[in-house]
Amino acid sequence: MGWFKNWGHSQMRKGAIAARERGEATYVHTLANSSDQIHQRYITAIESEGWKLTSRQENPATPRQRWTLTFERAQA
């Protein structure tokens, strides 16, 4: 189970790492799942890469991208 969990966290962080390496100040991640537990896992994984959640919005018109999580670079 440990390997699968590590792989999952790696997948969650991939986009955040790429955005940081490109020097972007904002990272937007979309989710279809409405579970607060799933959201919190993604938020924790992305924040571990130096981002800070600034907004979480629901858009029912786009089911595959129902939730939009917006992050800004955390200040060191």
Side-chain angles (χ1 to χ4, degrees):
M1 185 69 174
W3 176 86
F4 186 71
K5 184 177 180 181
N6 287 340
W7 178 83
H9 282 265
S10 173
Q11 295 302 306
M12 289 179 200
R13 296 189 312 257
K14 233 181 214 182
I17 292 168
R20 183 187 65 216
E21 290 175 351
R22 289 189 302 265
E24 296 177 8
T26 303
Y27 173 63
V28 177
H29 190 87
T30 57
L31 293 170
N33 194 310
S34 62
S35 164
D36 283 335
Q37 185 178 14
I38 300 288
H39 287 204
Q40 195 54 50
R41 286 182 186 162
Y42 273 89
I43 291 166
T44 300
I46 293 169
E47 285 183 341
S48 75
E49 293 300 326
W51 297 92
K52 182 72 179 157
L53 180 69
T54 56
S55 100
R56 177 162 79 171
Q57 298 178 321
E58 181 180 16
N59 183 2
T62 56
R64 287 185 169 239
Q65 298 176 344
R66 186 177 187 107
W67 290 92
T68 301
L69 307 176
T70 305
F71 297 85
E72 298 286 330
R73 290 289 296 151
Q75 299 299 321

